[in-house]
Amino acid sequence: MLTRKQIQLLEFIQKRTMRDGVPPSFDEMKDALDLRSKSGIHRLVTALEERGFIRRLPHRARALEVVRLPDALAHLSDPAQQDEPRATFTPRVVSSSRPARPRGAMAVVDSPAVQLPLMGRIAAGVPIEAISEISHHIAVPGTMLTGREHHYALEVTGDSMIEAGINDGDIVVIREQDTAETGDIVVALVDDQEATLKRYRRKGSMIALEAANPAYETRLLTDDRVRIQGRLVGLIRSY
């Protein structure tokens, strides 16, 4: 069963592909569903791909193809409708106070090894532009994951967490959650623009993002500027 957002996105992709001959861009999908960032779109696309409704085509721009449609959208497969004028797509928005999930996050299954999306790089140093792309998937031991929550992976760049045992080039496994306890190492999104890996501490109404390297200063921010995207649960290192 698809969620309402997944159906809305699949409908938008199918209509735009029928109209223009190519699927919409991720920015167009984000605007159509009235999402604040592409993270939600990446998550929805991944869910639709896992359920067999779309597939990604390698080495092509806008590389999405609708494979099948649910019964609710069966009318869109009628070729006769391709010659009819297309109404402007207007998504039905469901209000939620929950922040968007990290892009591409997926549910864990009971397996010795689980494929997780590697979302790109995360700064363990000066914050960098927020993660936005799935580069590929990696296999991680199922024992590294916590329960049946959503997880994703990131490549670390920088050395600000080196005294916590996290080196430049390491792969960190992140459990998706939007809350944190003092002392947790988290993925923090600052001002909805910068993603960084730091130790989280609450100090009154302020949030401290602490490095594990004395060469870096602690960042002290108001809590409305920081959104937690997940908590560190594992690390993979190549030698």
Side-chain angles (χ1 to χ4, degrees):
M1 180 179 296
L2 297 182
T3 67
R4 182 176 299 179
K5 281 291 187 184
Q6 290 166 358
I7 291 175
Q8 289 173 352
L9 180 59
L10 188 59
E11 180 179 14
F12 180 64
I13 294 172
Q14 177 70 355
K15 285 185 174 181
R16 286 296 299 271
T17 302
M18 291 168 61
R19 189 191 74 181
D20 300 339
V22 294
S25 68
F26 275 68
D27 282 322
E28 290 169 335
M29 288 186 271
K30 172 179 70 70
D31 293 340
L33 270 67
D34 196 28
L35 298 179
R36 289 188 297 177
S37 72
K38 289 188 287 187
S39 63
I41 294 298
H42 282 286
R43 178 171 56 84
L44 292 170
V45 167
T46 298
L48 290 171
E49 183 181 27
E50 290 172 353
R51 288 161 175 77
F53 289 96
I54 63 174
R55 65 181 174 186
R56 303 176 200 243
L57 305 177
H59 312 302
R60 287 178 54 181
R62 300 191 178 193
L64 293 178
E65 179 183 29
V66 176
V67 177
R68 64 189 180 95
L69 294 170
D71 291 342
L73 300 179
H75 62 283
L76 295 180
S77 62
D78 184 358
Q81 294 198 27
Q82 297 186 26
D83 298 325
E84 298 176 1
R86 298 291 164 192
T88 302
F89 178 76
T90 304
R92 292 167 292 175
V93 179
V94 179
S95 298
S96 173
S97 59
R98 187 182 187 278
R101 288 178 177 174
R103 33 192 86 62
M106 62 177 288
V108 176
V109 298
D110 294 326
S111 170
V114 177
Q115 293 289 325
L116 292 184
L118 182 65
M119 300 308 309
R121 295 183 174 182
I122 182 74
V126 178
I128 57 176
E129 183 177 355
I131 50 179
S132 61
E133 298 290 341
I134 299 175
S135 58
H136 59 278
H137 286 71
I138 62 170
V140 303
T143 54
M144 185 179 290
L145 310 178
T146 54
R148 299 188 64 86
E149 302 296 329
H150 292 263
H151 295 72
Y152 58 105
L154 295 165
E155 181 183 356
V156 173
T157 177
D159 61 357
S160 74
M161 298 302 291
I162 193 167
E163 292 188 3
I166 303 171
N167 298 335
D168 184 48
D170 285 348
I171 302 297
V172 290
V173 178
I174 304 298
R175 172 183 172 176
E176 177 202 346
Q177 58 186 69
D178 54 16
T179 60
E181 300 291 335
T182 290
D184 286 347
I185 296 176
V186 302
V187 173
L189 189 63
V190 179
D191 295 332
D192 285 332
Q193 294 181 345
E194 299 173 335
T196 189
L197 185 73
K198 291 290 183 291
R199 194 174 298 280
Y200 170 95
R201 296 192 189 280
R202 175 170 285 280
K203 297 186 176 181
S205 62
M206 306 292 286
I207 300 297
L209 299 178
E210 294 182 354
N213 183 334
Y216 294 85
E217 294 183 355
T218 296
R219 298 186 71 189
L220 196 60
L221 304 164
T222 56
D223 58 4
D224 61 328
R225 296 181 58 193
V226 179
R227 287 201 298 138
I228 304 302
Q229 301 287 279
R231 178 173 63 85
L232 177 72
V233 297
L235 184 144
I236 301 172
R237 179 171 297 157
S238 297
Y239 292 93

